[in-house]
Amino acid sequence: MSLPPPRRRLPLLLVEGATLLSGTGNGVATVALPWLVLERGGGPTAAGLVAAATALPLLVASLVSGTVVDLLGRRRTALFSDALSAASVAAIPLVDATIGLNLAWIVVLAALGAVFDPAGLTARETLLPAAAQAAGWRIERANGVHEATWGLAFLVGPGVGGVLIATIGPGPTLWVTAAGFALAVLLVAAVRLPGAGRPEAPPAGVWQGTVEGLRFVWRDRLLRAVALLTMVLVALYLPVEGVVLPAYFVAEGAPARLGSILMAMSAGSILGALASGWAVRRLRRRTLFVVALVVTGLALVGLAALPPYPAMLTFAVVIGLAYGPINPLANYAMQTRTPERLRGRVVGVMTSFTYAAGPAGYLLAGPLVEWLGLRAAFLVLAGALLVAALAAVPMRVLHALDDPPRYPPAPPGGTTGRTEGPVPLGEQWAPTAHRD
């Protein structure tokens, strides 16, 4: 009788370490770049232009990012993405020190930095199942940790950026951010996993591969439903954080309370994502998904009533806790219903739905607040999210979350050549010949 192979947690730690560094770097940049613009005499419109310059490339690049991953390979794409992000961030203080920095340079370099992010995100996410298998983790547990890592990065990133700006200034802060991206490159370079190298059957081209990914997602009823539900949630949820709550607390003259509410949401989502791996061992995935949706909607309606601050803080925590399992379950659906050769394209397409939803929600929220007033607009957004959540309850297609994986798990002998016990659900075999 063969002994089970030793568990190797290092690849998973390396992937999540790179995710944390890259996400934190992006969080720092979201604070440092507008600050730099305002410090140089630009007004809010100029700062908004920089934010828009990062939003549009994210949307376009996310659509093709998965095809790039399937063309170049997962590890190589992650390396290139973080290296190019480091270069674009470092170029800002470098241009400032040499030829002089103006708004046009900041916009161009910020846009270049945003172009590379979706490919890196997609590449690291497609490495996750193999890293989970090497560690002996269920894929649900790894998904929860991965989403919690992202949440932690974007929770601490802006705070770290604020502290660095106050301590050393925005220019040196960007050098520190570039160093963080460079360290992420080193971590990914050390990852050795099956399927991380060049793909066996790459797509014929960027356009053809992207269309193939779109068709696959649209024809799979579960993935299509999850993508559309997630898109609606993001379109209704992000304006609450980015428009409605800031407007309310500015009017109240309480910016510290705004920060506390947003941190409570983020902290709750981290805990919810971590708990999702535990919850799916006790509940059906479909049950957890619809309960998470409905509780998120109910808690958001409670927050939209604008109760006293302690109650708002409580609702914010509940929103985060409830929302936490949604992305890990969406990841699980992608991982278990997508063939290995298409995984990058499918992850990229699903991510692009989310990136498209954010700007659409912001375009809706501004005129809605001006037309109805803040309180009524908040209730409309929260009520619409609750209606979407309740509409998901009778959707029969969501029962497919509890189906066996559509594609087989790693075969006996797995990727190590040995006879093994059960492997984490959803992991598919990737030939060791293509390890690099």
Side-chain angles (χ1 to χ4, degrees), residues 188-206:
V188 173
V191 172
R192 293 293 183 273
L193 285 169
R198 288 187 179 276
E200 269 191 336
V206 173

Side-chain angles (χ1 to χ4, degrees), residues 67-78 123 126 195-199:
T67 307
V68 172
V69 171
D70 287 342
L71 278 168
L72 299 180
R74 297 164 184 175
R75 191 167 68 94
R76 187 174 290 106
T77 303
T126 53
R198 288 187 179 276

Side-chain angles (χ1 to χ4, degrees), residues 61-62 65-66 68-69 74 77-78 81 115-124:
S62 64
S65 63
V68 172
V69 171
R74 297 164 184 175
T77 303
S81 171
V115 165
F116 311 131
D117 290 338
L121 182 154
T122 301
R124 286 186 293 271

Side-chain angles (χ1 to χ4, degrees), residues 105-119:
W105 271 113
I106 296 176
V107 168
V108 169
L109 293 173
L112 284 174
V115 165
F116 311 131
D117 290 338

